[in-house]
Amino acid sequence: MSENTDRYENAVARYFEAWNAGEPEALAKAVAAAWSVEGTYTDPLATVTGHTEIAGLIAGAHTQFPGFAFRPLGTVDGHHDTARFAWELVSEADGSAPVAGFDVITLDADGRINSVLGFLDRVPAGA
């Protein structure tokens, strides 16, 4: 594997650690490890900046979908400081995945996320 491939996969692994962190302290720590201080997250439903807002967005997703976890789909693809990957939100109880999409991230020199552009491919009505 190339150094860049490892860099993309490591960044995406930290990203999923943040999205799956449950406790507020663990979530704050995971967000700080994954995103740069002024990192952003944008999808059709939200635009946030900085660790506090990103952690709040993730906590809100946990409240809306209790008992669900974010899982990668397929492989991470990237070039330069940009990577893309698909994901789904999976019920730990029955394995259903009502939400799915893909994200494009840009990384800083330290391999932390500067920005996320999220695209939603499957969203339940009323979400």
Side-chain angles (χ1 to χ4, degrees):
M1 242 179 229
S2 75
E3 179 180 328
N4 276 339
T5 300
D6 289 344
R7 183 172 179 241
Y8 307 139
E9 289 181 355
N10 289 337
V12 171
R14 287 191 307 271
Y15 176 85
F16 281 106
E17 286 174 21
W19 276 96
N20 290 319
E23 298 300 317
E25 186 175 312
L27 175 55
K29 184 177 178 180
V31 167
W35 271 269
S36 63
V37 172
E38 293 298 320
T40 63
Y41 177 92
T42 303
D43 71 18
L45 305 174
T47 298
V48 295
T49 300
H51 293 172
T52 301
E53 289 183 8
I54 293 167
L57 176 72
I58 293 170
H62 286 273
T63 299
Q64 187 174 3
F65 294 96
F68 284 76
F70 286 88
R71 302 284 184 248
L73 286 174
T75 60
V76 177
D77 181 33
H79 62 82
H80 296 84
D81 291 329
T82 305
R84 66 180 177 167
F85 55 93
W87 54 266
E88 62 184 355
L89 184 61
V90 180
S91 168
E92 295 173 347
D94 66 13
S96 64
V99 183
F102 76 92
D103 293 347
V104 176
I105 62 174
T106 60
L107 304 177
D108 69 10
D110 295 326
R112 290 174 37 202
I113 298 169
N114 276 327
S115 68
V116 175
L117 295 176
F119 295 84
L120 302 173
D121 296 326
R122 183 173 61 237
V123 179

